[in-house]
Amino acid sequence: MIATPSGTLPNVEAFCRTYETGSFSRAARALGVTPQATSRSVARLEQSLGVTLFRRTTRQLSPTDAARRYYERCVQALALFAVAEGEVVEGRHAPTGLVRISAATTWAHHRLLPSLGAFRELCPEIEVEVNVASGNVDFVRGGYDLAVRMGSVADGALVARKLGDFALGVFAAPAYLARHGVPQTPADLERHTCIAFLVPSSGRVLPWTFSPGPERLVPRAAYRCSDDALGTVTLARAGLGLVQTYDFLVEEDVSRGRLVEVLVRYRGRSRPFSLVYPKAPRPTRAVRAMIDHVVGFAQRTQA
């Protein structure tokens, strides 16, 4: 006899969406229920497990270590359940079809594309088309099923699955620092060569952020890159100046000594990434499989 899990499937799903979105309200919107119902589902799951999954305050909802471990297993279980459900309902042995996904160059090259080999092993019958671009795509005109976007998602017609909050740092090549010195505070950037990225939607320089320090600082950039943010990292690696970028983009450069982090005391505020897709029509089995893969891979690599 198969043992019945201590938390029912709706409770587990409510927990997963709350973990991903960081609030009962956002999780409720994704599930199509009330925040009170989502909160009660999570409370029932906590009671059945005998552990606290979230620390609650009036302003914040923080996952515990137990929640992080439980989430990793739940994502895998839900993915398997979705596949099993689809096989029974649709009478197929494996999901098939084409999935079209768009992602910014930063996420695409360092997270999405490297993970597709593992996805292929799980779902060999699914074809994947990837659009690598910095701008936001139009789901209807472009015919995309999924997209990875940076920042908060306010479009009510879209479902947003948070992939995580990703930290920013300021980096430079050792050769540059040997020639120009090491900045000690954000104010020192006035005397340094900065490399900036231009926001595709506005053409303006993307501000740098610091904590503590100026929340938004527009660097006086001697070099500016548009469309491909990885160009800023290439310029910094060549010793041409300082760049503020995500840790995950330069982790190999830092480990190999090609780049060095500066202004560590003033590390930039993190920025969120989300996987988004239209609320209607209901995603196909192939798209649902890709959703579970992207979200699960992001959470595992950030842990």
Side-chain angles (χ1 to χ4, degrees):
M1 178 181 293
I2 299 175
T4 302
S6 59
T8 62
L9 185 60
N11 294 344
V12 171
E13 193 169 15
F15 157 71
C16 287
R17 299 300 169 263
T18 302
Y19 184 94
E20 293 160 4
T21 61
S23 82
F24 291 129
S25 297
R26 289 190 289 269
R29 284 197 294 270
L31 294 168
V33 299
T34 66
Q36 293 78 10
T38 303
S39 177
R40 286 195 296 269
S41 292
V42 172
R44 284 194 294 267
L45 183 60
E46 289 177 318
Q47 184 177 9
S48 65
L49 293 173
V51 298
T52 299
L53 296 173
F54 295 102
R55 298 185 184 91
R56 300 158 172 82
T57 67
T58 55
R59 295 184 178 181
Q60 193 174 14
L61 194 68
S62 302
T64 62
D65 290 338
R68 295 185 181 94
R69 294 192 299 269
Y70 189 56
Y71 175 81
E72 291 182 10
R73 296 296 187 185
C74 286
V75 167
Q76 298 171 6
L78 289 174
L80 290 173
F81 183 83
V83 171
E85 182 185 52
E87 290 176 359
V88 172
V89 173
E90 300 179 25
R92 296 177 179 174
H93 295 294
T96 62
L98 172 66
V99 176
R100 302 186 72 231
I101 180 171
S102 177
T105 54
T106 51
W107 188 272
H109 285 289
H110 288 261
R111 285 295 184 266
L112 177 61
L113 298 179
S115 79
L116 291 183
F119 179 74
R120 181 73 176 176
E121 291 182 5
L122 291 171
C123 304
E125 301 301 320
I126 295 178
E127 298 176 7
V128 181
E129 181 179 322
V130 183
N131 167 260
V132 180
S134 294
N136 291 341
V137 297
D138 186 307
F139 282 97
V140 176
R141 293 181 181 177
Y144 291 100
D145 302 297
L146 304 166
V148 177
R149 292 186 179 175
M150 184 190 76
S152 58
V153 180
D155 191 337
L158 298 177
V159 176
R161 301 283 299 276
K162 190 173 181 180
L163 301 175
D165 292 297
F166 296 87
L168 293 158
V170 177
F171 303 88
Y176 172 86
L177 298 176
R179 293 194 306 270
H180 301 283
V182 179
Q184 301 301 313
T185 69
D188 294 342
L189 295 176
E190 288 287 334
R191 301 187 296 275
H192 280 268
T193 302
C194 295
I195 303 166
F197 178 66
L198 298 179
V199 180
S201 60
S202 66
R204 297 177 180 175
V205 169
L206 179 68
W208 292 11
T209 65
F210 298 92
S211 181
E215 185 173 344
R216 292 170 61 86
L217 185 153
V218 178
R220 297 174 58 185
Y223 299 96
R224 295 179 288 276
C225 286
S226 60
D227 292 329
D228 189 350
L230 295 179
T232 62
V233 177
T234 301
L235 289 170
R237 192 186 300 125
L240 299 183
L242 299 157
V243 63
Q244 184 177 74
T245 192
Y246 299 104
D247 292 346
F248 71 82
L249 293 185
V250 295
E251 54 191 0
E252 183 177 349
D253 288 311
V254 171
S255 67
R256 292 178 177 269
R258 294 190 292 252
L259 291 175
V260 177
E261 185 176 4
V262 299
L263 300 177
V264 177
R265 290 178 51 202
Y266 302 91
R267 300 210 87 229
R269 294 170 171 83
S270 62
R271 295 189 184 124
F273 278 83
S274 298
L275 179 68
V276 301
Y277 52 94
K279 288 183 177 179
R282 184 171 182 265
T284 65
R285 287 182 59 212
V287 173
R288 295 200 303 270
M290 178 62 78
I291 291 170
D292 292 333
H293 169 74
V294 172
V295 173
F297 184 84
Q299 296 292 346
R300 289 193 297 275
T301 53
Q302 194 181 25

